[in-house]
Amino acid sequence: MDIITSLFPNGMWHYAMGGLLIGAGVSLLYLTTGLQGGASSFFSSTLSFFSRLPYFQSTGQLSSRGWRLIYALGMVLGAALIWQMAGLDIPTTELPAWQLIIGGFIAGFGARLGNGCTSGHGICGVASFDLSSVLAVVVFLSVAILTAQLMTEVLL
């Protein structure tokens, strides 16, 4: 039990609740519409409002941008609502804006390269027993664990 306390010093309830809410959200989306949720495709479909490049004006981008916009807003507003209901301050970061921007571009590039993001592959794809999603999640997690270990060694 001591390892669990050291890994989760603030408890595990909020992680469990987050997982249950995410699972419920993507399940509700799928059961009511037959659509699979994912966050990275939101950005591509949203760019169809602004960019006239052929990729962003494809039928797939144009036909999905409305529900993807609502889906993304629901993620942001839902998180803010949960934090508000729990009486917590919305967390902030002390990272400089340039680091956040570079991190966003790297994450966005990786999501496009991997044909989806961790939420699309990790939640919807794995639940659908999609082999490419399982492999993508293995790669995502391996790189994340390796990066965390390397950064811990560098910073300590």
Side-chain angles (χ1 to χ4, degrees):
M1 249 355 220
D2 190 55
I3 190 163
I4 291 176
T5 305
S6 66
L7 290 173
F8 304 101
N10 297 323
M12 292 182 5
W13 72 270
H14 51 288
Y15 300 111
M17 285 302 296
L20 290 172
L21 289 171
I22 290 169
V26 296
S27 296
L28 182 65
L29 176 67
Y30 184 74
L31 290 173
T32 59
T33 65
L35 300 170
Q36 289 189 359
S40 65
S41 53
F42 154 74
F43 293 105
S44 297
S45 62
T46 301
L47 285 173
S48 70
F49 286 109
F50 308 104
S51 175
R52 296 293 165 226
L53 292 173
Y55 173 79
F56 297 113
Q57 295 302 308
S58 69
T59 303
Q61 298 296 342
L62 295 175
S63 66
S64 68
R65 67 185 183 183
W67 77 262
R68 290 190 190 282
L69 184 60
I70 293 168
Y71 183 73
L73 288 173
M75 286 191 285
V76 172
L77 295 175
L81 179 65
I82 294 295
W83 277 92
Q84 182 68 30
M85 287 172 44
L88 302 170
D89 292 329
I90 293 178
T92 59
T93 182
E94 294 180 16
L95 289 174
W98 69 269
Q99 286 181 341
L100 295 173
I101 291 169
I102 290 173
F105 276 111
I106 291 170
F109 177 77
R112 288 294 81 194
L113 183 65
N115 200 25
C117 60
T118 53
S119 61
H121 285 299
I123 298 166
C124 300
V126 171
S128 301
F129 302 111
D130 181 63
L131 181 59
S132 63
S133 289
V134 171
L135 293 174
V137 169
V138 168
V139 171
F140 292 159
L141 287 176
S142 299
V143 171
I145 291 167
L146 179 64
T147 301
Q149 290 300 315
L150 288 173
M151 292 306 296
T152 299
E153 294 298 320
V154 169
L155 296 175
L156 293 179

